[in-house]
Amino acid sequence: MHSTDQLTQQQPATVPDGDAVRAREWPRHWPLLLLGAALLPGTALVVLGRWMDAPAVLAWRTVCLAVCVQALPFLLLGTALSGAINAFVPASVFQRVLPRRGALAVPVAGVAGVVLPGCECASVPVARSLIGRGVTPAAAFAFLLSAPAVNPIVLTATAVAFPGRPEMVLARLVASLAAACAMGWLWLWLGKEEWLRPSVRHTGHRPGHSRWAEFRAGFQHDLLHAGGFLVVGAMAAATFNVAVPRSVLDTFAGSAWLSVLFLAALAVLLAVCSEADAFVAASLSGFSPVARLTFMVVGPMVDLKLIALQTGTFGRAFAVRFSSATAVVAVACSALVGGILL
């Protein structure tokens, strides 16, 4: 009796319903699906392979690869040195070497960028740290603009990108320093404290943390960030060299002022890392030397990523005014210095 009750309490065997059976059946048109899965990928590979072997695409790949390969060693060295400075050099060093008077501190801070390598992404938090440690904002902003534009890595990359053209290296150095100092002095003259609302953002070594771990983290962040912009810039430069009709480029390249303004706007939009922008500028061979100089001076000082970083660090009121003024000053200094030296 007990066993009978156990049998009656057992669940009945599950019988698959019609939907489950149909779900396990082959699709009605499975031969066509199988044929498509076999043929479509192969066809796409054949078409893509022939398209990739087209002369225009081959030229695009050559230009893009050449820009990346030439710039990569300088990008690696620049990001490594930037991470080392952030981890091992205290910000108090800058405060000790800068003069107390703001008018004198501005050119000293600008010249300091010549010997202290760093990318533009790292210069914003460094400037924030300097201001937090008592450095006058004018000097901090001069260093912010000069360090990514005139450091030894960038100048060496420029010499490699423009072989046999030492005047291009000198013009970049002079124009970038002039623009950085002019912006520092302009802040002393017209800058207002209410425009500057720095947020709390740490840079440099933190007590209790490993300096080597901070170096690795900074190096990895800067390399991945700057490397992505390098690839985008190389692709854009290759596209301009191959895909844009020559008549369109001639419209801008044929005019001295239009070419300068066009490449200045292109530098802002492309946001190429300063360790690699010289190779992108060198590939834009249809433009005048002054226009390509403008591309290399404006890019490290004003681009989309820098505007975003300045907005998050110092506030929107500062970023809008400072970026707009920097663009005008950088273009003016490039045109003036390029007209004399080039």
Side-chain angles (χ1 to χ4, degrees), residues 106-108 110-111 142 145 176-186:
V106 165
V108 174
V111 174
L145 297 177
S176 299
L177 274 179
C181 293
M183 284 304 301
W185 287 322
L186 189 63

Side-chain angles (χ1 to χ4, degrees), residues 183 187 195 316-326:
M183 284 304 301
W187 178 266
W195 295 347
R316 186 175 60 181
F318 167 83
V320 171
R321 293 174 173 85
F322 191 78
S323 299
S324 302
T326 302

Side-chain angles (χ1 to χ4, degrees), residues 24-48:
R24 289 196 297 266
E25 291 179 354
W26 285 91
R28 180 178 300 178
H29 305 292
W30 68 267
L32 294 178
L33 295 176
L34 184 61
L35 184 64
L39 293 180
L40 289 180
T43 305
L45 288 176
V46 172
V47 173
L48 183 62

Side-chain angles (χ1 to χ4, degrees), residues 11-23:
Q11 296 288 339
T14 303
V15 179
D17 57 10
D19 293 337
V21 173
R22 284 192 297 271

Side-chain angles (χ1 to χ4, degrees), residues 31 54 62 73 83 94 101 117 120 152 157 162 170 174 184 211 213 221 237-238 243 269 287 300 317-318 342:
T62 301
F94 299 97
R101 293 185 58 184
E120 56 266 35
F162 293 91
L170 178 61
V174 175
R211 292 184 183 272
H221 173 270
L269 296 176
F287 291 87
F318 167 83
L342 302 179

Side-chain angles (χ1 to χ4, degrees), residues 136-163:
T136 176
F141 296 149
F143 179 81
L144 182 153
L145 297 177
S146 69
V150 298
N151 69 67
I153 306 300
V154 170
L155 295 180
T156 304
T158 306
V160 173
F162 293 91

